[in-house]
């Protein structure tokens, strides 16, 4: 996160000296552009360390980024994350210009469901409340009653009056919530192409090979992975857990860049790093952030009627916490 520290201080324990020297002119250019445009860079925890520690004004999970987008005084928000995150920023801050460095930065979960699918589910289960994970398009959010993130999914489900809940699109997050509530949860079969590659068998090998290892997992992982985990939480939940528990050895069962970013502030913890990259998050680069700010390009627009209904769903979630 950018602070009063110099670029070298921020990146000192993150990147080799030669890379810091090579990247410094680009980071300086982005810093000048941010001032010129009165822009803020919001970076998801999966951004590469050069973005996360080099140019981000704020970092966080989906929930934190939605809150920060709603609160910022900047005129321009650059979303260093994927498209649904930029749409959420636009929904909660309709008067700001929201830019994304690459319009193709999508998400396999968001692609797994359409508003028409939601309409069919509502027809089949007319009494059910519809909860959507934020990893969906604005149009899907507009068709649902309330959004949730991996950080507040259970609290959102528990906050609703209905006993029957349609939970979409992530089947694994939905199952994880279902295991902790008395409500009936109706699942959609969406999944994250990054997290579904992990297996419980792989984690048991880590336990065997690395005595004392703590396993912490994102709830988008398959059920056998979550059963093997010592802690399950959102990307920011996992970060806080490492900072608080200070384990000697940990494996973060999530996207690769998380361990790189968290390791910087946890020098006494050994990180075992299986690497599943999110190809969409990795479309966001320092060069792309610079170009976005130079040309003010890739503005994310959400049509008013969709934005209004989607805002209701997001605001309901933000009220839950
Ligand atoms: P978080 O809300 O935990 O940051 O997760 C977002 C995401 O896309 C994880 O794959
Ligand atoms: Fe979507 Fe998975 Fe990438 Fe997260 S990690 S943005 S859920 S594809």
């Amino acid at each position: 996160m950018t602070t009063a520290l110099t670029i070298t201080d921020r990146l000192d324990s993150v990147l080799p000296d030669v890379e810091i020297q090579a990247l410094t002119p680009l980071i300086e250019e982005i810093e000048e552009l941010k001032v010129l445009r009165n822009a803020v860079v919001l970076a998801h925890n999966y951004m590469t360390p050069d973005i996360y520690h080099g140019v981000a004004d704020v970092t966080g999970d989906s929930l934190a980024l939605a809150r920060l987008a709603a609160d910022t005084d900047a005129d321009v928000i650059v979303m260093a994350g994927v498209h649904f995150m930029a749409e959420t920023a636009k929904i909660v801050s309709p008067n700001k210009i929201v830019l994304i460095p690459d319009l193709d930065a999508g998400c396999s979960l968001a692609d797994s469901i359409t508003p028409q699918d939601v309409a069919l589910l509502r027809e089949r289960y007319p009494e059910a409340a519809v909860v959507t994970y934020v990893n969906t398009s604005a149009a899907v959010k507009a068709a649902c009653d309330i959004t949730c993130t991996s950080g507040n999914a259970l609290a959102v489900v528990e906050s609703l009056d209905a006993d029957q809940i349609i939970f979409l699109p992530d089947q694994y997050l939905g199952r994880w919530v279902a295991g902790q509530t008395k409500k009936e949860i109706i699942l959609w079969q969406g999944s994250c192409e990054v997290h579904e590659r992990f297996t419980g068998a792989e984690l048991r090998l880590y336990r065997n090979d690395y005595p004392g290892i703590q396993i912490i997992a994102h709830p988008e992982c398959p059920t056998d992975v979550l059963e093997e985990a010592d802690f399950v939480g959102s990307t920011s939940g996992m970060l806080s857990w490492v900072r608080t528990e200070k384990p000697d050895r940990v494996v973060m069962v999530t996207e690769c860049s998380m361990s790189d970013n968290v390791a910087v502030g946890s020098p006494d913890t050994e990180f075992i790093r299986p690497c599943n990259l999110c190809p969409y998050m990795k479309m966001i680069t320092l060069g792309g952030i610079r170009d976005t700010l130079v040309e003010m390009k890739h503005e994310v627009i959400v049509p008013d009627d969709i934005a209004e209904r989607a805002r209701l769903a997001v605001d309901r979630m933000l009220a839950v916490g």
Side-chain angles (χ1 to χ4, degrees):
M1 209 175 312
T2 55
T3 59
L5 293 173
T6 64
I7 295 171
T8 309
D9 287 343
R10 294 201 300 271
L11 295 178
D12 198 24
S13 53
V14 182
L15 297 173
D17 277 355
V18 59
E19 213 173 318
I20 298 175
Q21 280 172 35
L23 290 176
T24 294
L26 181 53
I27 293 175
E28 281 172 349
E29 196 182 344
I30 292 171
E31 282 177 345
E32 282 163 22
L33 284 161
K34 286 199 293 188
V35 175
L36 180 75
R37 304 292 193 197
N38 188 24
V40 68
V41 175
L42 305 189
H44 186 259
N45 290 324
Y46 291 164
M47 288 296 105
T48 48
D50 53 344
I51 295 174
Y52 192 90
H53 298 282
V55 299
D57 295 291
V58 277
T59 57
D61 62 6
S62 304
L63 181 59
L65 296 184
R67 288 190 186 289
L68 293 161
D71 290 347
T72 181
D73 289 333
D75 296 323
V76 176
I77 295 171
V78 177
M79 180 54 71
V82 291
H83 194 265
F84 76 79
M85 294 175 178
E87 275 193 335
T88 305
K90 184 67 186 177
I91 289 164
V92 297
S93 272
N95 299 323
K96 312 240 178 258
I97 295 173
V98 176
L99 305 174
I100 186 161
D102 192 325
L103 279 169
D104 288 331
C107 168
S108 65
L109 271 170
D111 287 346
S112 75
I113 189 152
T114 65
Q116 291 75 22
D117 294 324
V118 180
L120 288 173
L121 284 165
R122 281 199 188 275
E123 258 175 56
R124 191 182 299 176
Y125 303 101
E127 304 296 322
V130 187
V131 177
T132 181
Y133 191 29
V134 284
N135 296 42
T136 45
S137 66
V140 166
K141 289 182 179 75
C144 296
D145 297 317
I146 186 167
T147 63
C148 74
T149 71
S150 54
N152 63 11
L154 181 61
V156 165
V157 164
E158 293 293 3
S159 76
L160 299 170
D161 280 339
D163 290 328
Q164 192 181 47
I165 310 286
I166 298 169
F167 189 96
L168 44 95
D170 187 15
Q171 56 180 305
Y172 299 118
L173 176 61
R175 241 174 240 134
W176 183 69
V177 169
Q180 301 171 74
T181 179
K182 290 194 168 62
K183 293 177 192 272
E184 181 193 355
I185 306 289
I186 296 152
L187 298 172
W188 183 254
Q189 296 302 313
S191 57
C192 160
E193 67 184 54
V194 178
H195 289 90
E196 72 179 351
R197 293 207 295 267
F198 293 105
T199 64
E202 177 188 348
L203 299 187
R204 284 189 286 282
L205 286 179
Y206 285 124
R207 281 219 195 275
N208 204 40
D209 292 353
Y210 299 97
I213 195 166
Q214 296 292 297
I215 296 176
I216 64 173
H218 195 276
E220 288 171 16
C221 293
T223 307
D224 65 332
V225 168
L226 301 182
E227 282 169 0
E228 198 60 49
D230 299 299
F231 173 78
V232 175
S234 75
T235 55
S236 288
M238 294 166 92
L239 188 152
S240 307
W241 189 91
V242 172
R243 298 273 193 265
T244 311
E245 299 296 320
K246 302 185 188 350
D248 291 336
R249 230 175 211 180
V250 73
V251 55
M252 299 184 110
V253 190
T254 190
E255 211 268 354
C256 307
S257 293
M258 267 295 286
S259 296
D260 298 338
N261 291 329
V262 178
V264 173
S266 298
D268 298 329
T269 295
E270 179 190 1
F271 288 77
I272 310 302
R273 306 182 194 212
C275 190
N276 285 351
L277 277 173
C278 173
Y280 311 107
M281 291 280 184
K282 264 53 238 193
M283 287 177 183
I284 309 301
T285 60
L286 277 181
I289 293 172
R290 185 259 324 271
D291 294 349
T292 290
L293 282 165
V294 169
E295 297 176 41
M296 293 297 282
K297 67 177 179 182
H298 306 322
E299 183 171 359
V300 175
I301 307 284
V302 181
D304 287 349
D305 57 328
I306 289 177
E308 245 167 65
R309 284 181 290 130
R311 193 172 310 123
L312 277 179
V314 174
D315 283 349
R316 285 188 194 119
M317 169 187 81
L318 294 176
V320 171

